[in-house]
Amino acid sequence: MKIGLEVHVALPTKTKLFCSDSTSETREPNSQICPICVGFPGSRPVLNEEAVRVAKSIAIALNCRVREDISFIRKVYFYPDLPKSFQITQLSESIGSDGFLELEKKRVGIRRIQIEEDPARIIREEGYTLLDFNRSGIPLVEIVTEPDITTEEELREMVFTLRTILHYQGVDVNQEVKTDLNISLAEERVEIKNVTGIKNLIAAAQYEITRQGAIIKKGGVPEKETRSFDAASGTTKTSRKKESEEEYGFIYEPDLTVYDTKNLSENAMRIPTKIAMGLAVKHKANYSTILELIAFDTGALNLINEFEEEFDFKTIIASLEIMKRFGEPANSGVFKEILGLTDQKIDITRDVLKKIKAGDKVEIKKFSEPQIDETIREMLNSDKTIVEKYKKNKNVVNFIVGTISKKYGIQPRDAAARVEGVINKL
Amino acid sequence: MKSYISEFESKDKPKDYYQKLLEELKGKNRELHVFNNLNEDLRDGFPFSVKDNICVRGVESTASSKILKTYKPPFNATVVERLQRQGFAFLGKTNMDEFGFGSFGINCETPARNPFNVDYVAGGSSSGAAVATSILKYHVAVAESTGGSISAPAAFCGVVGFTPTYGVVSRNGLIDYANSLDKIGFMARSAADIRKVLNMSVGRDEKDTTSLDARLRDEPKIQFSVINQLMNGLDDKVRSAFDKLLEKLKSMDYKINYVDLKDIEAAIPAYYIISTAEASTNLARYTGFKYGFKVGDFSKRYNDFFTEARMQFGSEAKRRIILGTFVRGASVKNRYYVKALKVRAMLGEKMRRILRESLIISPTMSITTPKISEVEKLSPVQTYALDMLTIPPNLCGFPHVSFPYEYIDDMPIGAQIVGDHFNDYAPISFVENWEGKFKYRFKYNIGAI
């Protein structure tokens, strides 16, 4: 089996690719538009340098050859969402090419990374179609992979790895990513166009693997065609039989000059998988645990880096997991205190977190073990029958365990063990 | 040096000057179809007209195409903005071949007519701009050339027409024909006026990525190069008039040098391939629902919907869309589009070698002004071939000027001077010099004070 992807992601820029309209989310349709992104005659595109800068960073992060003199092309087709009836995109002179994505056990080739403009949003209603040009001209990168993915597991790993790298380049990975999926179990390539979102991408692949597999089992051959994915039913269906390639009549975009990318400063190159591996080796820690913590949380990585020298690595990881468990964002400022308490083996309960957040002092009561045992003995002495009852039902000391746990800030489990120890010694 | 702009500024205008001007112009317009619309609110300032493919805020700008009827751009072209800021007064939008597709001005609903004789063409595609310049005493025209659309009508209407180096005047606001070839330029009754408006219009514009901040030179050349290959196929009358011009130039101490430029014949196919390839993509946006002609019937499928809109195109526009779509098709692209780009680069290099030492001179058109009835009979290929003299400098983005130098049977004919890139003022300086020995003839002087 061979799978290749064409992934489209919106770049994190404040303004559109060829005009100065905002890219921010808005409820009001057609409120962030101008003659350029609606394609009015007489208007012309002016390239957003920031979009090129981020695209260059992504290309470097994906080990691509970065082109110094990029140019743009016109891809001509007629569709109501395409205001000029051509899309300004890139082909042979695109920002990146010949890269790869490092997975745990293999490399997936990146054929090309190209910068292009998003078309308008189509809203289909009963009997008519509406167009929202707010999306028209949003900068995208299209990442074209080689058909190197051979299992569903690899597909998942590839998508995860790509997303985490993009996250570290500032891309909003929660956006609705649009993907074209090429998948062939036999010779001919089946393309599933415009799959929206990651869940659907996996579902489309799963369905297609099953569908093509069934054809082959029956002795048939899956045909070369373009299919579309229906999210509601989780199935793909034929949208066009491909006798020949589409004809887009590419020409150079003559309104944009050759653009020199040499002097664009790229983002810091942080590849989360590599970083997690580095940390795991350095601290003899678990790679997956680290990756899971930092994959979509640059803040967590920043905290690791900040406290790595000062604290035990296991304590840092434990503290980050506590943060994650309570849904505390890495930048919430409570981390340092959690870290300090964890370091002193203080259990962080929701109550403790509340106190930290309220700015209350969490009292760290340090008692010696004999002192704790003495308290237990005192409580046991107040009711002579308890020890006898305890032999039949251990629950009778629950109130003692609770009190000890609270008073000395130790885990209930540990408190119970202490109580049992004292009783046994009596 | 005669400057109508300076003269106009120094004169006291009667109170109803602009009103009378408009009235007279409206009368003439009914006869000659010069303007697609006139600015009724005209007041104060030296009048300038704008070719109808250049946007003026709130004013219908159709490029003389039915598909753009009612399109009122919400912005000004940069050139319009700059001239208005200098106190010039927008007079109206001038007629043209639809989207600039033509050499005679006849590819539109109501073709402009030659002011010297209404049976003759005005030239194209900036037909109205040339006629306006020829009939108005105080006026400059903002026009546009892709393959000769300023030179040709300027020559046929007996005015000065200047096309600058590609990129020195912003194209922001131009309704595109072929973006890598389109140049906004000017027509006037004197070279000094061209110099003035060019000076006000040049300079980098953030809204046009291809606009340049180059310093334009005025580097005089005493040598004129005549390209032998361009002299084949000249009409006899044009040939003998041009030879006389060369003699006159010699007497003015210019040197004439005959040179060979063998591959120059490739300029026409290269031009028509690049220009139609780009045009066919530019015209793809006219689909009938956002601006201009609207289909209205939204029950149609999209393919049927935009097909109905695109029936509004004239036959030459349709021809160029089909041709342009063909030459950029995947199976033939390397044979046509890619090759044409190479020819353009090669010819540019060869011409630049000649232009380092000299200016290139030729007649503007190989024929005298034809009658409308004559050009209607020509095949497209015959028509395209008539652009032989104007295409080379346009294809390679060299500045050039067409100026009248003779009248044959009471019709003006023009010659064309080409300069090196950014030496834009050299051809203008030459015409200023030439005007000292030449008397312009105009049939009308509308707006004379």
Side-chain angles (χ1 to χ4, degrees), chain A residues 35 38-47 74 76 78-86 127 131 133 247-257, chain B residues 55 68 71 74-75 171-176 179-180 206-207 209-210 277-278 281-282 284-287 289-291 302 306 328-330 333 337 341:
Chain A
V38 183
F40 270 34
S43 69
R44 57 205 66 245
V46 178
L47 183 61
R74 293 177 170 184
V76 187
F78 287 81
Y79 209 67
D81 65 358
L82 199 59
K84 301 183 289 296
S85 305
F86 61 79
L131 290 165
F133 288 90
E247 175 68 274
Y248 292 119
F250 300 109
I251 62 164
Y252 285 105
E253 168 52 70
D255 272 339
L256 296 169
T257 50
Chain B
C55 292
L68 270 171
Y71 174 53
F75 56 93
R171 290 182 296 111
N172 177 50
L174 174 68
I175 298 173
D176 305 306
N179 319 49
S180 75
E206 293 299 326
K207 292 174 180 168
T209 309
T210 65
E278 291 183 15
T281 64
N282 286 324
R285 76 183 64 194
Y286 301 109
T287 48
F289 69 98
K290 290 194 294 294
Y291 42 74
Y302 190 59
F306 73 73
R328 61 186 165 82
K333 190 174 154 183
Y337 176 67
L341 294 178

Side-chain angles (χ1 to χ4, degrees), chain A residues 86-138:
Chain A
F86 61 79
Q87 182 192 33
I88 302 178
T89 175
Q90 296 191 295
L91 206 58
S92 57
E93 292 168 13
S94 66
I95 184 76
S97 61
D98 303 318
F100 60 86
L101 188 67
E102 189 95 61
L103 303 187
E104 271 189 75
K105 288 189 186 119
K106 77 188 298 184
R107 282 178 172 181
V108 173
I110 304 289
R111 187 178 297 169
R112 195 168 61 244
I113 295 181
Q114 60 199 46
I115 303 165
E116 61 188 30
E117 53 180 343
D118 210 352
R121 186 187 302 277
I122 291 188
I123 301 143
R124 294 195 196 280
E125 303 273 345
E126 187 66 40
Y128 55 90
T129 296
L130 297 170
L131 290 165
D132 179 4
F133 288 90
N134 285 348
R135 205 181 69 185
S136 175
I138 298 271

Side-chain angles (χ1 to χ4, degrees), chain B residues 28 32-35 112-115 121-123 126-136 139 153 157 159 187 189 444:
Chain B
K28 203 41 77 193
L32 300 176
H33 311 301
V34 194
F35 286 89
R113 296 182 172 254
N114 195 298
V121 302
S126 309
S127 51
V131 180
T133 311
S134 186
I135 63 173
L136 281 154
H139 154 269
C157 293
V159 301
M187 293 188 206
R189 284 183 168 205
Y444 305 101

Side-chain angles (χ1 to χ4, degrees), chain B residues 27-42:
Chain B
K28 203 41 77 193
N29 202 33
R30 277 190 280 276
E31 188 189 344
L32 300 176
H33 311 301
V34 194
F35 286 89
N36 286 353
N37 57 60
L38 279 161
N39 178 14
E40 297 288 344
D41 199 26
L42 183 70

Side-chain angles (χ1 to χ4, degrees), chain A residues 350-411:
Chain A
R350 200 168 282 281
D351 282 346
V352 173
L353 185 67
K354 238 184 225 167
K355 275 190 186 168
I356 295 172
K357 290 181 90 174
D360 293 346
K361 261 219 164 142
V362 179
E363 278 178 51
I364 303 161
K365 297 168 200 157
K366 280 213 157 180
F367 298 94
S368 63
E369 286 177 8
Q371 212 177 338
I372 299 171
D373 290 354
E374 184 51 38
T375 312
I376 296 170
R377 265 193 296 276
E378 275 169 22
M379 292 182 79
L380 290 172
N381 284 339
S382 65
D383 181 354
K384 303 279 181 196
T385 63
I386 282 184
V387 177
E388 276 311 306
K389 286 180 188 158
Y390 178 80
K391 284 170 189 162
K392 285 175 196 153
N393 178 8
K394 292 193 175 186
N395 286 336
V396 295
V397 295
N398 276 358
F399 81 97
I400 300 176
V401 170
T403 312
I404 294 297
S405 167
K406 246 185 209 151
K407 187 167 178 186
Y408 298 107
I410 54 175
Q411 293 266 19

Side-chain angles (χ1 to χ4, degrees), chain B residues 14-162:
Chain B
K15 241 185 160 181
D16 58 351
Y17 175 77
Y18 292 101
Q19 201 187 323
K20 282 230 164 111
L21 175 73
L22 279 177
E23 265 166 42
E24 207 177 329
L25 209 45
K26 275 183 204 164
K28 203 41 77 193
N29 202 33
R30 277 190 280 276
E31 188 189 344
L32 300 176
H33 311 301
V34 194
F35 286 89
N36 286 353
N37 57 60
L38 279 161
N39 178 14
E40 297 288 344
D41 199 26
L42 183 70
R43 62 188 123 177
D44 256 13
F46 190 85
F48 74 103
S49 64
V50 178
K51 188 175 177 179
D52 203 22
N53 59 350
I54 297 169
C55 292
V56 177
R57 188 190 297 121
V59 176
E60 193 178 54
S61 301
T62 69
S64 287
S65 180
K66 283 198 282 179
I67 209 159
L68 270 171
K69 277 265 158 70
T70 74
Y71 174 53
K72 291 181 178 174
F75 56 93
N76 272 330
T78 299
V79 65
V80 170
E81 195 86 358
R82 287 185 179 175
L83 290 179
Q84 282 183 335
R85 215 176 297 147
Q86 296 289 333
F88 282 64
F90 166 65
L91 175 62
K93 304 296 299 286
T94 51
N95 199 357
M96 59 185 286
D97 285 298
E98 183 179 13
F99 288 109
F101 301 151
S103 311
F104 302 112
I106 59 164
N107 295 328
C108 59
E109 277 186 286
T110 46
R113 296 182 172 254
N114 195 298
F116 289 88
N117 185 333
V118 293
D119 292 335
Y120 288 74
V121 302
S125 71
S126 309
S127 51
V131 180
T133 311
S134 186
I135 63 173
L136 281 154
K137 185 160 186 194
Y138 298 108
H139 154 269
V140 288
V142 178
E144 176 275 335
S145 173
T146 308
S149 285
I150 291 177
S151 281
F156 289 150
C157 293
V159 301
V160 189
F162 177 74

